[in-house]
Amino acid sequence: METAIHQLIEQDATLKEQIERLTAIKGLALLSVAVLIAETNGFERGAPWRLR
């Protein structure tokens, strides 16, 4: 599964940058970050706890 994730990341410069920034945080691994980005649609959808 990680191989497929890596292949997708390499195809998208924006996604690659997001992954690199987030995995630089201690404790965040590739799979966790990939799920986080997928669930938030690349952070475009916003967090449900954010006040509007």
Side-chain angles (χ1 to χ4, degrees):
M1 183 184 325
E2 285 196 32
T3 303
I5 293 171
H6 279 290
Q7 289 174 347
L8 288 172
I9 292 168
E10 290 300 319
Q11 296 173 9
D12 187 325
T14 302
L15 180 59
K16 184 175 181 177
E17 182 180 349
Q18 288 177 329
I19 295 284
E20 288 174 352
R21 287 182 177 193
L22 289 169
T23 55
I25 299 170
K26 186 176 181 176
L28 289 180
L30 177 64
L31 187 56
S32 298
V33 169
V35 169
L36 179 64
I37 290 173
E39 290 289 330
T40 62
N41 193 26
F43 296 103
E44 289 182 13
R45 199 167 59 194
W49 59 87
R50 186 184 307 175
L51 299 176
R52 293 184 185 250

